[in-house]
Amino acid sequence: MRIGELAARAGTTARTLRYYESRGLLPGRRTGNGYRTYDERDLKLLRQIRTLQDFGFDLEETRPFVECLRAGHPEGDSCPASLAVYRRKLDELDVLIGELQSVRAKVGAQLAKAEQAREALAADAAVPGGPEPVCELGGQEL
């Protein structure tokens, strides 16, 4: 198949395919008249790359999976180098999850503090002569 057909079947653009070819991820086979030519194996490579990118892998991280497929493995993730990339990605995700959990805890604590302050203001406002509630964002009365 030619580049336009492969791009359409893979849900990408010919420009992207040429970029992948320049990065060595997609083979650069040409016909006698200079047209790029591809086959079903190339479509499988592209689908592997796209799936990994959807998972958050950058383009260079997909290389071991592509090489594994090219080596004849039915799935691109059964080679040692692919497994190592999976492990590194999981470690990165664990760090990010920890950071997000920390931020969530801080936001939750700030929310609890803000709710307590609001309740204290409301209680004070209920007392004759107490302060009037004020919008913290704009300084306007509620």
Side-chain angles (χ1 to χ4, degrees):
M1 72 187 93
R2 295 199 355 211
I3 194 167
E5 182 183 350
L6 179 62
R9 289 184 62 192
T12 190
T13 65
R15 182 178 180 186
T16 298
L17 300 184
R18 286 189 290 273
Y19 178 70
Y20 289 173
E21 182 182 325
S22 75
R23 300 295 305 246
L25 294 170
L26 197 59
R29 293 183 303 270
R30 303 248 180 189
T31 62
N33 59 2
Y35 290 117
R36 289 175 170 89
T37 183
Y38 302 97
D39 58 27
E40 292 298 321
R41 291 172 300 182
D42 300 320
L43 181 59
K44 188 170 184 170
L45 288 174
L46 284 172
R47 288 184 173 149
Q48 180 82 44
I49 292 168
R50 297 291 302 250
T51 298
L52 292 167
Q53 287 185 312
D54 288 347
F55 291 163
F57 289 74
D58 66 36
L59 190 57
E60 196 55 37
E61 288 175 316
T62 68
R63 187 172 301 282
F65 298 88
V66 169
E67 290 171 358
C68 189
L69 283 170
R70 282 187 183 154
H73 296 270
E75 300 299 324
D77 58 2
S78 59
C79 296
S82 301
L83 297 172
V85 172
Y86 273 149
R87 287 185 192 99
R88 277 195 309 272
K89 184 55 77 174
L90 283 175
D91 289 343
E92 288 175 19
L93 291 170
D94 287 341
V95 167
L96 289 172
I97 289 168
E99 291 171 0
L100 287 172
Q101 287 174 328
S102 174
V103 169
R104 187 187 191 293
K106 290 174 186 174
V107 170
Q110 190 63 33
L111 172 61
K113 182 178 169 185
E115 287 175 336
Q116 288 174 346
R118 178 154 177 83
E119 289 171 10
L121 281 174
D124 288 345
V127 175
E132 290 293 321
V134 177
C135 177
E136 296 171 9
L137 296 176
Q140 302 165 348
E141 289 188 21
L142 296 176

